[in-house]
Amino acid sequence: MKVRFIEPGNRPYRPTPLNYFVYDRYIRTPSVGLNTLATIVKERVADTLMYSESVSRLVKSDLLDADLIFIGIFTFSAKRGYALARYFQKNSKAVVVLGGLHASMNYREAVRYCDYVLLGEGDESVLEMVDAVQKEVLPEFPGVVYRKGKTLVHTGERKPPERFETIPDKDLVYRYRKMAGHNTLWGQVHASRGCPHNCDYCAVVRHFGRKVRTRTPENVVEDIRRTIAFQENGHHRLLKALWLTDDNFFADREWAIRVLQAIIDSGIRYHFTVQARWEVGLDNEMLCLLKKAGFAELAMGIEFIEDDAFRRYHKKSTKEDILASIKNIQRHGLSVRGLFILGADNHTVGVGDRLADFVIKNKIQGVLIQCMYFVPGTPVYEENKERLLHRNWEKYNGNAVHFPITMTPYELQMESIRASRKIYSVPRLLQALIREDPLHKLLFLGEFFWNISIRKDLRKELPYLKKVSEETGSFKRNG
């Protein structure tokens, strides 16, 4: 049997010098989740390989004679994923299975492009799908959607796995080892799943559930050790950093402390970053351990800078909480990266400048800014379906895709551009190169070029957004 995994690229990989400076244009770190599933299948099927359009082109001659092809999609890559699924259905004998966050949460759409949709996390069901294909029988286990004539068959909800100790074999990703020396590619380790919170715009709790499930600290440390070796061996990387990609690493406080202590005890010396909610910024014991373990920054999901927006989207924080957290994190010698959303219902023209001023005043050293995003299956999507401009999923990557209440879509896009331009200005770049430590010099330099790329893409959408804003201006004013 021959099994192949594919991670589609919203903009598929192509060789260019930009890949050494600009992340997420033609290069990005391959999916840890899909890599994990490929590793699980490899233990059963020797001829297993994963392609990621984040780091390589597809070798179609290898894919066309596969027996089973898994394609994992996020919302922004769904359009490309659907095109690939249709292509392999038409041109190969392979059974084509779609999975991932978008396919799971939007399976009624996804099932039109494939033989089966595999719902949820897949750690257990992926082998059951392999068995079904080998035996040439219909998959009857929970967590599958398929079409039988005109009938949609849903085999039932799948309970998420309690244990997931598989360490992804990165050598299963075609050409990844060769590409790992790029400073734009960060080593990534995912240590826990689930989140106890319920923010309206977030797909995490809908996909992974509200129960936090964790790997053992020893397993996490071994994954970190292997990931660092993969990134470093045979390469000369300037950026020596690893990202713990958990959506809420600190949700299980006792476990997080044990993981940090295990990293300290391991003797690993490296730079780490991790996502965090504001609460951890007031936890002095945790901050001390983070610093001692080698963490350089916390990527904080701040989202908004107005209390009204926090309330509207059921995010349990206030601006006062956020400010206190930022200051305390910085007092412990850690930096803060801010993750922000523009386009909340209370946002008005000028919000981009207000956000940029907030970032600069509070010495936030890096940002990710997106216009309000809508993943099918989330409350914010369901509540705003009638206000969406389109369902061209490849545009759901930071662009304005809905009618805000107090701005036009064009104005919202411009606010995002202004915020990026002000935060990543030439004077601020020079200031960072003079004043920051070596790690943050390199980070700001990379983000400076990355944001030039982001703004270029945002500007490409302006003619369309201006046209739709002028044609339907009364809609956004009057609903």
Side-chain angles (χ1 to χ4, degrees):
M1 189 179 194
K2 181 175 183 178
V3 181
R4 293 294 181 262
F5 289 79
I6 300 175
E7 179 188 17
N10 186 8
R11 186 186 280 116
Y13 170 82
R14 73 176 178 84
T16 167
L18 284 175
N19 293 337
Y20 292 95
F21 308 100
V22 179
Y23 182 77
D24 203 19
R25 189 166 188 84
Y26 301 111
I27 191 170
R28 62 185 292 147
T29 304
S31 165
V32 172
L34 199 63
N35 190 189
T36 299
L37 298 186
T39 303
I40 291 170
V41 171
K42 176 69 174 179
E43 295 177 0
R44 177 80 60 85
V45 180
D47 194 358
T48 297
L49 187 68
M50 173 178 163
Y51 289 94
S52 172
E53 289 192 308
S54 300
V55 294
S56 76
R57 292 168 171 159
L58 303 181
V59 181
K60 289 188 177 177
S61 59
D62 176 58
L63 288 157
L64 287 171
D65 65 348
D67 299 295
L68 178 57
I69 296 176
F70 291 97
I71 303 175
I73 57 175
F74 293 99
T75 297
F76 66 85
S77 62
K79 184 176 179 179
R80 172 65 175 167
Y82 292 158
L84 289 173
R86 279 258 173 94
Y87 173 84
F88 289 114
Q89 274 197 317
K90 182 178 179 180
N91 294 285
S92 79
K93 62 185 178 70
V95 173
V96 178
V97 180
L98 281 166
L101 190 148
H102 184 85
S104 293
M105 298 182 69
N106 202 23
Y107 61 79
R108 292 181 183 277
E109 174 188 270
V111 76
R112 302 202 303 264
Y113 299 91
C114 61
D115 297 301
Y116 303 104
V117 174
L118 197 64
L119 305 173
E121 298 171 39
D123 300 61
E124 298 163 343
S125 57
V126 69
L127 289 179
E128 294 173 330
M129 180 62 74
V130 169
D131 289 341
V133 172
Q134 281 184 315
K135 296 173 182 176
E136 298 183 347
V137 298
L138 287 174
E140 297 181 348
F141 54 88
V144 181
V145 172
Y146 62 92
R147 293 166 297 169
K148 191 173 184 180
K150 294 183 179 181
T151 303
L152 183 73
V153 179
H154 189 309
T155 62
E157 296 300 322
R158 182 96 187 192
K159 184 179 179 181
E162 288 292 330
R163 307 303 305 168
F164 44 97
E165 301 285 281
T166 301
I167 296 176
D169 179 359
K170 295 174 177 60
D171 280 310
L172 283 178
V173 184
Y174 178 69
R175 291 192 82 237
Y176 189 13
R177 181 171 286 277
K178 179 178 180 180
M179 302 297 292
H182 286 67
N183 286 300
T184 41
L185 299 181
W186 285 44
Q188 296 185 356
V189 170
H190 202 80
S192 66
R193 300 177 187 174
C195 179
H197 301 285
N198 203 32
C199 303
D200 286 0
Y201 44 80
C202 182
V204 170
V205 70
R206 281 91 203 170
H207 187 66
F208 292 108
R210 300 189 71 174
K211 180 182 178 182
V212 178
R213 293 162 288 127
T214 60
R215 295 164 65 184
T216 62
E218 297 76 18
N219 183 255
V220 174
V221 168
E222 180 59 25
D223 197 346
I224 289 171
R225 198 186 300 279
R226 293 188 196 180
T227 300
I228 291 172
F230 184 84
Q231 296 288 125
E232 296 288 344
N233 292 349
H235 301 122
H236 301 284
R237 292 178 59 88
L238 294 174
L239 184 60
K240 298 180 181 295
L242 183 146
W243 180 20
L244 286 177
T245 57
D246 301 44
D247 296 283
N248 195 346
F249 178 80
F250 304 98
D252 184 335
R253 185 178 185 276
E254 181 182 342
W255 170 82
I257 286 174
R258 288 195 291 122
V259 171
L260 294 176
Q261 191 60 58
I263 294 172
I264 294 166
D265 294 343
S266 73
I268 293 172
R269 297 291 177 263
Y270 214 64
H271 293 299
F272 299 96
T273 185
V274 65
Q275 295 181 147
R277 280 176 56 91
W278 66 271
E279 293 95 335
V280 74
L282 304 181
D283 188 335
N284 291 317
E285 180 185 3
M286 191 75 76
L287 294 175
C288 288
L289 284 172
L290 284 164
K291 183 66 176 177
K292 191 174 180 181
F295 284 74
E297 69 173 22
L298 299 182
M300 189 186 298
I302 299 172
E303 268 74 81
F304 312 111
I305 56 173
E306 312 91 4
D307 289 345
D308 183 41
F310 291 133
R311 287 190 295 270
R312 283 172 186 256
Y313 299 98
H314 301 106
K315 185 170 177 65
K316 295 177 181 177
S317 57
T318 67
K319 185 175 181 179
E320 184 179 348
D321 293 331
I322 298 297
L323 289 172
S325 178
I326 291 171
K327 290 175 182 176
N328 199 43
I329 291 169
Q330 293 168 341
R331 275 195 294 268
H332 281 79
L334 299 163
S335 66
V336 175
R337 175 174 304 277
L339 313 179
F340 296 99
I341 299 172
L342 296 178
D345 285 349
N346 65 307
H347 283 176
T348 58
V349 171
V351 67
D353 281 323
R354 293 192 293 273
L355 173 57
D357 292 341
F358 177 88
V359 168
I360 294 167
K361 178 181 178 181
N362 291 289
K363 298 181 174 59
I364 296 173
Q365 289 179 292
V367 299
L368 172 63
I369 302 170
Q370 292 187 308
C371 295
M372 180 61 76
Y373 49 89
F374 303 87
V375 178
T378 59
V380 75
Y381 178 87
E382 296 302 324
E383 292 167 8
N384 292 279
K385 285 190 290 189
E386 301 306 315
R387 291 167 56 191
L388 297 178
L389 302 179
H390 53 72
R391 288 172 178 78
N392 182 1
W393 303 125
E394 67 181 357
K395 303 298 183 183
Y396 281 55
N397 61 350
N399 288 290
V401 296
H402 83 301
F403 291 95
I405 294 295
T406 60
M407 290 185 282
T408 64
Y410 175 84
E411 289 169 336
L412 174 56
Q413 191 91 335
M414 285 301 303
E415 292 302 315
S416 184
I417 292 170
R418 288 192 189 99
S420 168
R421 189 168 55 216
K422 193 169 184 177
I423 293 167
Y424 290 100
S425 65
V426 172
R428 293 200 76 231
L429 171 63
L430 295 175
Q431 185 181 61
L433 294 176
I434 293 169
R435 297 182 180 178
E436 296 292 350
D437 60 77
L439 175 66
H440 286 95
K441 280 182 169 66
L442 191 59
L443 286 174
F444 199 96
L445 181 64
E447 290 165 21
F448 177 83
F449 287 110
W450 180 33
N451 273 266
I452 289 175
S453 172
I454 289 172
R455 294 196 297 272
K456 181 178 179 181
D457 287 340
L458 292 175
R459 289 191 188 98
K460 287 179 180 177
E461 290 299 298
L462 288 175
Y464 162 74
L465 292 172
K466 187 172 185 179
K467 182 174 184 290
V468 76
S469 296
E470 291 172 346
E471 290 176 349
T472 56
S474 59
F475 178 91
K476 59 93 186 177
R477 300 295 180 191
N478 303 318

